[in-house]
């Protein structure tokens, strides 16, 4: 086992062995989650706080379930309705929570880098559950696990990521992870939704979806983030669907066994045709949700081990009589 | 009172020379170079260190009125003296802005607290809202050296054109911030690989080109005297060149941060590296350094912007932009000198002679009769920057912990020692 980090703030800081360690452990939790009694005492006695400064249903419930299945005491804080509204700064919120001695903080925030900032100020392990348009590491890990299970490997695959790349932290984390595992990456989308300079990051950029999908092993669709757009990125949803929506005709250009992924929630008829999303032979969208809980359990398990080791070292230090 | 500086390495930006010699100061003015030691003169042995005209720092923000906890005239003045800055050209973007003669009188009075020279710029439009022009005539009479809304661009071209026409009639100088306000809205970084990877809202360098093109067109239309506060991208240089070639009365400045740092220095969301405009690519940085060497960019300034800890301890995109610079301008400039990019006379042309000349001040020269505003410094002395050692009330410097060279050993304003 190699994963030694204090926090999980992004894929950027992980090496391929870390990723493999996390995914291998996740497999154990996939097994556990399929049993009737889905419980382990790995995090017994530990406190997990979910701080979501941005709306989330699926990620928050996935983390909540993961923590509960590992035996942690889980608390959800909806930061949109709390003291933040009264003018408290992010750092003060962090310090307040820190004083309650949590062991794991799960944080989502609308600004890039905010979770890094918060992690500097607390004594516990922090998992980034999405910061602005920066990273969403557990999403990339669950996508990787899904790919590895259905393709049998996580290298030398052609992965096409399609849609709203510019506003997507999922795309960034996936780009970094799949790049580290040596896959061929293609980004497909309108130029208005393509961040500047991505071609320098070692991926191929396509505007024509048909070209981009040719012979892909994995087709990863992204949600059109209408709430992050201050207008004018695409002319209309119907034109978007026509050019960049995934339908049977476009999917036929990918490899016959290509899988279709989507981080959810889906806009059916905008970026993906409903029948493709529901096609059990191609779509692994439900698997992604299942893997999400397992990956989050694995991440929390490893961070808790590191936290215990660190605290053990601190106790074993010079001692009281030093 | 006569001062005689001996054994000095004299940096003369006017003659573009860097040579050993002596300098005599009498009655607050430079009396002679390489003259005899007068009777009763105080002799200052410079031990071969550099003696140059004091820096004229164009674009200093002081928190008076409104944000005195961030910086006062006194604290900024002490920092300036310690940094070799003998004249501060102060920005009007205070709370409230300096947009009436009464406001200007207040800050002029307050400025007496500082041990260095201070000249004030006034806002160009009332409350810096871009709707009505200020009393340019009254403010000029009271000593405003230039008019600017700071980084807030006057979006209404018709109004800006009228301000320029009116200013032209009075011979007043307008300082613009070349930036397209629509394109740069919400941006905290320059678009490119770095901003994309870190997910920071970004703006294309073209926003600066567009802003410059518009302002220069209005300058051509009105014929007013105009200065660009910060040119930071190579793509903006051709327009500047064309404007000068066609005889427009145009000058341009840049910030020391854009000459010594690039976009990658932001690293892990370090908010002390957040600037307006944002830090640029390395190619643009090199182009700006070359433009200063070629004289295409006239002025280097620190754009001293004090921010308290609270406004910086925030996520990058919502953190306040700007850095303090009065005390770091000289050592940062020494990076350019030691890198062989600019000579000391070239640096002092941009940091002292040009800004003074553009604003009609007699400073920035070592000639006879020039005010004895001087800085004595060792360009080689190494140190590690500790932000808590800065005299400014705010400590937001991107150079914290950096290894730097260049220490100020003494500063004189009108022949009076103010530091060292």
């Amino acid at each position: 086992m190699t994963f030694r980090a204090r926090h999980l703030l992004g894929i950027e800081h992980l090496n391929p062995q870390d990723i493999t360690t996390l995914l291998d452990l996740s497999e154990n939790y996939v097994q556990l989650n399929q049993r009737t009694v889905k419980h382990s005492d790995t995090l017994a006695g530990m406190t997990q706080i979910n701080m979501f400064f941005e709306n989330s249903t699926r990620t928050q419930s996935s983390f909540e379930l993961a923590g509960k299945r590992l035996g942690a005491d889980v608390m959800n804080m909806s930061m949109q309705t709390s003291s933040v509204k009264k003018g408290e700064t992010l750092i003060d919120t962090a310090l307040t929570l820190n004083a309650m001695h949590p062991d794991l903080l799960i944080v989502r925030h609308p600004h890039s880098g905010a979770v890094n900032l918060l992690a500097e100020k607390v004594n516990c392990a922090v998992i980034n559950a999405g910061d602005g348009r920066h990273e969403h590491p557990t999403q990339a890990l669950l996508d990787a696990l899904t790919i590895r299970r259905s393709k049998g490997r996580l290298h030398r695959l052609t992965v096409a990521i399609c849609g709203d790349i510019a506003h997507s932290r999922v795309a960034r984390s996936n780009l970094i992870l799949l790049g580290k595992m040596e896959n061929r990456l293609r980004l497909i989308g309108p130029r208005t939704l393509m961040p500047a300079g991505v071609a320098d990051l070692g991926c191929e950029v396509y505007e024509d979806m048909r070209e981009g999908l040719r012979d892909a092993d994995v087709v990863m669709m992204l949600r059109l983030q209408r709430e992050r757009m201050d207008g004018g990125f695409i002319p209309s949803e119907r034109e978007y669907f026509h050019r960049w929506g995934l339908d049977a005709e476009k999917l036929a250009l990918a490899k016959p066994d290509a899988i279709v992924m989507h981080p959810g929630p889906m806009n059916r008829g905008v970026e993906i045709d409903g029948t493709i999303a529901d096609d059990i032979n191609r779509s692994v969208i439900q698997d992604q949700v299942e893997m999400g809980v397992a990956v989050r359990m694995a991440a929390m398990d490893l961070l808790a081990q590191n936290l215990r080791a660190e605290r053990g070292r601190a106790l074993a230090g010079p001692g009281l009589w030093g | 009172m006569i001062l005689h500086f001996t054994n000095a390495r004299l940096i003369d930006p006017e003659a573009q020379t860097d040579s050993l010699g002596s300098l005599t100061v009498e009655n607050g003015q430079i009396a002679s170079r390489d003259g005899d030691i007068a009777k009763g003169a105080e002799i200052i042995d410079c031990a071969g260190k550099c003696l140059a005209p004091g820096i004229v720092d164009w674009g200093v923000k002081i928190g008076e009125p409104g944000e005195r906890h961030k910086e006062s005239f006194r604290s900024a003045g002490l920092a300036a003296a310690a940094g070799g800055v003998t004249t501060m050209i102060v920005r009007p973007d205070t709370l409230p802005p300096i947009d009436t003669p009464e406001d200007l009188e207040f800050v002029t009075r307050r400025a007496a607290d500082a041990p260095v020279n201070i000249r004030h710029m006034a806002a160009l439009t009332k409350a810096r809202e871009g709707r009505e022009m200020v009393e340019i005539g009254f403010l000029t009479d009271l000593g405003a050296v230039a008019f600017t809304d700071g980084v807030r661009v006057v979006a209404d071209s018709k109004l800006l054109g009228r301000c320029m026409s009116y200013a032209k009639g009075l011979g007043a100088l307008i300082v613009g911030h070349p930036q397209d306000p629509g394109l740069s809205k919400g941006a905290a970084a320059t678009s490119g690989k770095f901003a994309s990877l870190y997910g920071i809202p970004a703006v294309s360098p073209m926003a600066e080109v567009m802003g410059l093109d518009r302002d220069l067109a209005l300058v051509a239309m009105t014929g007013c005297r105009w200065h660009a506060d910060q040119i930071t991208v190579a793509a903006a240089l051709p327009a500047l060149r064309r404007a000068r070639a066609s005889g427009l009365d145009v000058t341009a400045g840049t910030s020391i941060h854009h000459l010594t740092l690039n976009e990658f220095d932001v690293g892990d969301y370090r908010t002390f590296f957040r600037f307006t405009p944002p830090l640029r690519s390395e190619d643009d940085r090199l182009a700006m350094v070359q433009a200063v060497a070629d004289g295409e960019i006239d002025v280097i300034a620190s754009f001293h912007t004090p921010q308290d800890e609270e406004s910086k301890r925030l996520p990058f995109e919502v953190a306040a932009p700007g850095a303090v610079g009065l005390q770091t301008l000289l050592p940062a400039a020494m990076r350019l000198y030691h890198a062989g990019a600019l000579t000391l006379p070239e640096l002092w042309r941009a940091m002292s002679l040009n800004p003074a000349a553009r604003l009609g001040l007699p400073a920035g020269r070592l000639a006879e009769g020039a005010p004895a505003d001087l800085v004595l410094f060792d360009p080689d002395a190494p140190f590690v920057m500790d932000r808590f050692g800065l005299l400014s009330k705010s400590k937001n410097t991107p150079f914290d912990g950096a290894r730097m060279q260049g220490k100020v050993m003494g500063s004189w304003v009108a022949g009076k020692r103010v530091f060292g």
Side-chain angles (χ1 to χ4, degrees), chain A residues 40-64:
Chain A
S40 122
D41 285 327
T42 315
L43 298 186
M46 291 187 133
T47 305
Q48 172 194 343
I49 302 183
N50 296 337
M51 292 170 79
F52 280 65
F53 293 87
E54 213 180 47
N55 265 331
S56 162
T57 313
R58 49 183 62 224
T59 307
Q60 186 170 342
S61 41
S62 181
F63 270 110
E64 185 177 351

Side-chain angles (χ1 to χ4, degrees), chain B residues 58 295 297-299 348-359 364:
Chain B
W58 189 345
I297 287 190
D298 306 271
V299 176
W348 255 260
R349 182 177 66 198
M351 298 198 299
S352 184
L353 176 68
N354 285 346
R358 186 61 167 153
L359 295 163

Side-chain angles (χ1 to χ4, degrees), chain B residues 223-348:
Chain B
C224 89
R225 300 174 60 223
W226 190 81
H227 175 79
D229 65 347
Q230 300 180 60
I231 296 293
T232 60
V233 297
L237 294 172
L240 204 57
R241 229 171 273 150
R242 279 196 305 274
R244 280 185 214 259
S246 65
L248 300 183
D249 190 355
V250 166
T251 48
T254 193
S255 95
I256 189 68
H257 301 112
H258 289 89
L259 294 177
T260 51
L261 305 169
N262 70 26
E263 55 184 344
F264 295 110
D265 285 308
V266 170
D268 210 4
Y269 302 103
R270 294 190 292 169
T271 57
F272 282 5
F273 291 80
R274 175 151 191 221
F275 293 94
T276 307
L279 291 174
R280 305 304 195 183
S281 68
E282 178 64 3
D283 286 347
D284 278 332
R285 183 189 76 83
L286 292 171
M288 290 307 106
V289 174
Q290 188 57 44
V292 173
D294 296 343
E296 285 194 69
I297 287 190
D298 306 271
V299 176
I300 301 174
S302 74
F303 291 91
H304 181 83
T305 305
Q307 298 289 4
D308 54 21
E309 301 290 303
E310 298 314 319
S311 23
K312 285 287 187 185
R313 286 170 67 190
L314 291 169
F316 191 81
E317 60 197 87
V318 289
V324 292
L326 287 166
Q327 270 175 279
T328 49
L329 175 55
L330 187 140
M334 288 308 108
R335 285 188 170 178
L336 300 170
Y337 164 63
H338 288 296
L342 292 166
T343 65
L344 292 175
E346 280 169 347
L347 278 167
W348 255 260

Side-chain angles (χ1 to χ4, degrees), chain B residues 12-348:
Chain B
D12 187 339
E14 213 172 8
Q16 284 293 301
T17 55
D18 175 348
S19 55
L20 277 178
S22 69
L23 193 78
T24 312
V25 167
E26 203 173 339
N27 297 326
Q29 291 186 332
I30 292 167
S32 64
R33 266 175 76 168
D34 301 324
D36 298 330
I37 302 176
K39 208 174 161 194
E42 182 191 338
I43 295 172
I44 298 163
D45 184 355
C46 300
K49 304 302 182 208
C50 297
L51 186 67
I55 296 169
V56 178
D57 195 4
W58 189 345
V60 174
K61 166 83 181 273
I62 290 176
E64 293 191 61
E67 294 172 297
R68 205 159 150 186
H69 65 289
K70 292 186 179 177
E71 194 81 285
S72 67
F73 278 101
R74 181 165 174 75
S75 61
L78 294 173
V85 174
T86 52
T87 302
M88 293 192 280
I89 310 300
V90 178
R91 270 164 32 198
D93 53 343
T94 45
L95 294 173
I98 309 306
D99 58 358
T100 64
E102 288 78 5
D103 293 325
L104 183 57
E105 273 181 336
F106 168 77
V107 286
T108 308
R109 220 168 38 241
R110 292 290 306 138
D113 277 3
V116 300
N117 302 316
I118 291 180
R119 292 289 182 279
H120 300 272
M121 293 192 281
L124 182 62
T125 67
K126 287 177 186 161
R128 295 169 63 225
E129 281 174 348
R131 283 202 283 270
E132 290 173 81
M133 73 174 89
V134 298
E135 294 166 315
I136 298 178
F138 281 152
L139 288 158
T140 302
D141 290 346
L142 275 171
V145 290
F147 294 83
T148 179
D149 276 358
V151 296
R152 227 184 261 174
V153 175
V154 179
D156 181 347
S157 302
K158 186 174 261 183
L159 178 78
L160 182 58
R162 284 187 189 140
C163 291
M164 286 181 173
S165 292
Y166 194 84
K168 160 80 178 165
L170 289 159
L173 178 69
I174 289 183
V175 179
H177 178 67
Q179 199 69 221
D180 182 81
L183 206 53
S184 57
K185 191 177 161 202
T190 303
S191 62
K193 190 165 79 172
F194 177 79
S196 291
L197 202 52
Y198 277 74
I200 304 173
V203 61
S204 160
M206 280 304 143
E208 186 170 313
V209 180
M210 289 166 64
L212 182 65
D213 281 340
R214 180 199 69 154
D215 286 9
L216 289 176
L218 290 171
V219 172
M221 184 176 96
T222 58
C224 89
R225 300 174 60 223
W226 190 81
H227 175 79
D229 65 347
Q230 300 180 60
I231 296 293
T232 60
V233 297
L237 294 172
L240 204 57
R241 229 171 273 150
R242 279 196 305 274
R244 280 185 214 259
S246 65
L248 300 183
D249 190 355
V250 166
T251 48
T254 193
S255 95
I256 189 68
H257 301 112
H258 289 89
L259 294 177
T260 51
L261 305 169
N262 70 26
E263 55 184 344
F264 295 110
D265 285 308
V266 170
D268 210 4
Y269 302 103
R270 294 190 292 169
T271 57
F272 282 5
F273 291 80
R274 175 151 191 221
F275 293 94
T276 307
L279 291 174
R280 305 304 195 183
S281 68
E282 178 64 3
D283 286 347
D284 278 332
R285 183 189 76 83
L286 292 171
M288 290 307 106
V289 174
Q290 188 57 44
V292 173
D294 296 343
E296 285 194 69
I297 287 190
D298 306 271
V299 176
I300 301 174
S302 74
F303 291 91
H304 181 83
T305 305
Q307 298 289 4
D308 54 21
E309 301 290 303
E310 298 314 319
S311 23
K312 285 287 187 185
R313 286 170 67 190
L314 291 169
F316 191 81
E317 60 197 87
V318 289
V324 292
L326 287 166
Q327 270 175 279
T328 49
L329 175 55
L330 187 140
M334 288 308 108
R335 285 188 170 178
L336 300 170
Y337 164 63
H338 288 296
L342 292 166
T343 65
L344 292 175
E346 280 169 347
L347 278 167
W348 255 260

Side-chain angles (χ1 to χ4, degrees), chain A residues 7-305:
Chain A
H7 308 297
L8 180 60
L9 300 178
I11 300 296
E12 197 194 341
H13 310 288
L14 304 182
N15 60 39
Q17 284 101 330
D18 293 335
I19 294 166
T20 308
T21 302
L22 273 158
L23 297 185
D24 289 348
L25 184 61
S26 304
E27 292 284 1
N28 296 350
Y29 285 113
V30 174
Q31 304 298 321
L32 179 75
N33 287 339
Q34 284 168 354
R35 290 190 212 142
T36 313
V37 179
K38 311 168 181 63
H39 198 85
S40 122
D41 285 327
T42 315
L43 298 186
M46 291 187 133
T47 305
Q48 172 194 343
I49 302 183
N50 296 337
M51 292 170 79
F52 280 65
F53 293 87
E54 213 180 47
N55 265 331
S56 162
T57 313
R58 49 183 62 224
T59 307
Q60 186 170 342
S61 41
S62 181
F63 270 110
E64 185 177 351
L65 204 55
K68 284 183 169 158
R69 285 185 181 165
L70 291 175
D73 299 315
V74 185
M75 185 170 82
N76 284 316
M77 295 186 69
S78 175
M79 304 310 293
Q80 284 167 320
T81 53
S82 72
S83 47
V84 179
K85 280 251 169 80
K86 299 173 192 161
E88 190 175 62
T89 66
L90 179 62
I91 289 177
D92 285 334
T93 307
L95 293 176
T96 306
L97 280 179
N98 194 45
M100 299 178 193
H101 297 291
D103 302 288
L104 283 157
L105 270 184
I106 317 298
V107 188
R108 169 170 286 190
H109 197 280
H111 294 132
S112 304
V115 182
N116 302 42
L117 179 67
L118 191 142
E120 286 169 18
K121 310 290 173 189
V122 295
N123 298 321
C124 59
V126 176
I127 296 182
N128 180 0
D131 61 326
R133 19 175 127 165
H134 178 217
E135 281 229 44
H136 190 354
T138 55
Q139 178 71 42
L141 287 163
L142 75 87
D143 288 341
L145 184 61
T146 310
I147 295 171
R148 197 172 80 167
R149 284 171 69 94
S150 51
K151 290 279 147 203
R153 66 177 197 271
L154 191 57
H155 57 273
R156 292 204 190 177
L157 294 167
T158 301
V159 182
I161 306 179
C162 316
D164 182 0
I165 316 276
H167 297 95
S168 175
R169 51 197 173 215
V170 176
R172 278 175 185 72
S173 288
N174 265 310
L175 207 74
I176 301 170
L177 190 151
L178 295 169
K180 280 182 198 262
M181 304 313 280
E182 305 192 356
N183 294 284
R184 186 169 173 186
L185 286 163
R186 295 175 180 172
L187 300 180
I188 306 170
R191 276 163 194 254
T192 46
L193 296 176
M194 196 63 72
V198 274
D200 300 339
L201 301 174
C203 31
E204 302 158 41
V205 179
Y206 292 90
E207 206 171 343
D208 182 342
M209 190 165 182
R210 288 179 176 80
E211 243 178 85
L213 287 185
R214 205 171 296 277
D215 297 327
D217 296 291
V218 176
V219 180
M220 202 180 272
M221 300 306 298
L222 296 172
R223 188 168 66 91
L224 194 64
Q225 300 209 29
R226 283 176 284 191
E227 74 274 15
R228 273 182 213 284
M229 296 190 183
D230 46 8
F233 286 90
I234 54 162
S236 73
E237 288 177 0
R238 61 180 190 179
E239 181 166 321
Y240 182 81
F241 181 70
H242 177 70
R243 299 188 65 190
W244 293 284
L246 187 65
D247 54 19
E249 185 219 328
K250 291 184 196 118
L251 184 57
L253 292 161
K255 283 203 182 137
D257 62 345
I259 55 169
V260 174
M261 307 177 76
H262 194 298
M266 278 183 282
N267 299 309
R268 284 171 188 258
V270 178
E271 69 257 354
I272 190 164
D273 188 289
T275 52
I276 304 254
D278 299 334
D279 181 350
I280 50 164
N281 295 318
R282 309 302 290 271
S283 162
V284 292
I285 296 170
Q286 297 312 313
D287 300 3
Q288 287 175 274
V289 180
E290 184 188 343
M291 295 310 121
V293 180
V295 156
R296 286 167 182 134
M297 289 168 84
M300 288 197 280
D301 180 353
L302 288 175
L303 288 179
Q305 288 180 31

Side-chain angles (χ1 to χ4, degrees), chain B residues 380-403:
Chain B
D380 304 314
F383 68 99
V384 176
M385 172 60 65
D386 171 14
R387 69 190 186 105
F388 294 106
L390 295 174
L391 297 175
S392 183
K393 281 192 187 180
S394 296
K395 315 293 182 192
N396 53 309
T397 174
F399 298 112
D400 185 39
R403 288 159 201 271

